[in-house]
Structures are given as C-alpha cells and as structure tokens.
Amino acid sequence: MSTWTGYSKRSGDVTDADYMARALFHAARGRGRTTPNPVVGAVIVSADGVVVGEGFHARAGAPHAEVNALDMAGPKARGATLYCSLEPCCHTGRTGPCVARIADAGITRVVAAVQDPNPLVRGRGFAFLESRGITVDVGTGRAAAALLNQPFFTLMNEGRPFVTLKAAISADGYITEAPGQRTALTSDAANRHAQRIRAEIDSIGVGVGTILADDPLLTARGAYRELPLIRVIFDRHLRTPPEARVLSTVEAGPVMILTLAEAAERADRRQPLEARGATIVVTDGTIRSGLRALGDRSVTSLLLEGGARVHEAAWMERVVDYVRLYATPKSLGPQGLKFLNGRRFLAAELIEPRVESLGPDVMTEGYVHGPS
Ligand SMILES: [Zn+2]
C-alpha cells in the first residue's frame, strides 16, 4: 500500500520529515492571509500510514489547521499521529484551544516542527498534550517552519515587525538622480516583482521625503491581496501634505504617520491630515520607536521602501532583518543620493542570499543577521 504517488521511496520509507513537509506545504497556503496569526498546516496519519486528515489555517478568526485536519479525519484520528508545523495552541482564543480537541479525538502522537513563541503558549501546548498521555516530538522541519513564520516570530520575540529594506540602485550606486527628485529606475519585470512582494506583507513604510518627491500611492497593484495594506510614513515634523495621493486611498488600508510629540501638538498640521483619514502616532523619532508602535498594533512585517534617510536610519539603528535590492544597468551621475552612503551589498555578505534576473535588472536578497 502506498500513500504517495510520484515518489521514489517505498511507502514503508515515508518518514516524519516527509509528513512534516506536507504539513509545511499546507501551512504555506495561508501566506499573506492569516496576519497577525501565524501560518499553520497539519496532517493526520493513521497507524498504518494513511493520510486521513489535513488542513491549514486560512485566516485570523477561521478554524485552526489542527481543527480542520481533525474534522476531515473524524473517527480515523483515533490512534493516529498529528504532524503540525507549529505547537498546537492551549489558550482559548476565538476558536478554543486545539490541544483539548487533539486529545479528545484520540491522537496518540504529535510531531511539531517548532514551539509557538506566543507567550500565551510557549511550551504549554506540549505540556498539556503530554499530561494527557500523548507522545510529543518537537523539531522535525524546525528551520523551514520558522522561516515560513519569520514575521510572526519577530513580532512575538521582539515586539516589532520583521523589517525588509528595499531599494533600487543604479549601476553607479545611486538611488535618485538628485535629492528630492523622482527617478524611475527599474524595469517592468522588476516592478511586477515588487508588487507581488507587496501582496504578502502587513505594512509598507517610507519617509516623508519620498512622499514629497514621489507622491506615491503605496498600494499593491496587480497582485491579489485579501487584507488591507497598512501604509506607514516616517514624518517627524508632520510635513506630509493633506493632499498627498496616499491619503486618497485610505479605503485600501490605514495610513499611519509616525511623528514627534511637538509636531503632533500642532493642530494646524495634525487636523487636516486626520480629516483625510490619517492616524497620527507619536514616537521619539527613531525608527525603532516607530517599529514598537507598529508591534503594539500586531503588525508583523514592514517593507521599508525608502528614501535614503529612512534607509540610513534603519540601518544605523540595526533594525533591518532582510535586504532586497534591485540593481539596474542605468547610471545616474554624481548629483544623486548614494544608497547607504555608498555601501555596496554583495550577495556573499547576506545570509541565505538569493539572486534573480528580472528583465535587465538583477534582484539580490537575503538576511542581514540570519533567520531566528
Ligand atoms: Zn489552535
């Protein structure tokens, strides 16, 4: 009897890692849709090696992956093993604790990739299962599972969103032709790639300089997106014009302007922005303080698109987790602004780097300090 097709191993060789890979596949189906929850996948395998249930978490408020898999398995869950990409929950949220459902269904072994970093869970789910006589094995597929939920892990462990720094850089190392000037650098292929990235993130951030120079919409265009995209403007002195185009699209997602207390106290600046739907948030002016404010609102990821000052500040404050650079063959000449004061990123300087050709441009991305 074989439970796999198109698989070179004999069925007797199917291992925990194989079933976990299937649970991770299901988890990934929720990408970009579950925030602020993690993506989770679950597979239930009977004692004789048949997959009797599988499921994933589709969106916050919907049933958890384990519950979907248990519903599919029904009575076949008795005596079976549950493979789960994340520790099953033990807190009563909107959907009730999964661990009680798992034990009541008669599951005898749980294989989980990684412990849930949520302080409400953090090992308590495993402890509950063991207290009900269930064998618990943790760690199969751990690296892949943590990678899949990197934004959720960063929010839980550090109280701030996972930060990706994105920039387009000319052949001679510039990001604009001249300070304060809008410069279209990248090809259609690179622009489409950037839009697809916007479809999966919680929030996108720019400095007020970019608002003044480019007047961008900061929406995800041409990419499927289920949840509103939060737009964040780092604007210490509230210089964002009330007529900025980003404020014409508040129905596509909230616009948060992070500013200093003295600017927020100026009603002549604050009120016209609030009248256009902006949310004014007071910070101490650092990127880190802005990130904490976003973390307090359960924002799990931030794509920092520029400009030069915001990139530089985030880099100097050491809050950049991931870098994605689009290198173009165009040259811009010496009046422009250099990316991070002329710093060059080579793929070899990044951790787990990836390089991809996008038309005439080359995208290089990778972790700055390694996935946690
Ligand atoms: Zn659960």
Side-chain angles (χ1 to χ4, degrees), residues 86 92 111 129 146 166 186 340 348:
L86 188 69
T92 308
V111 181
L129 294 168
K166 175 214 155 186
T186 42
L340 293 188

Side-chain angles (χ1 to χ4, degrees), residues 64 66 89 98:
H64 288 183
E66 304 91 316
C89 70
C98 285

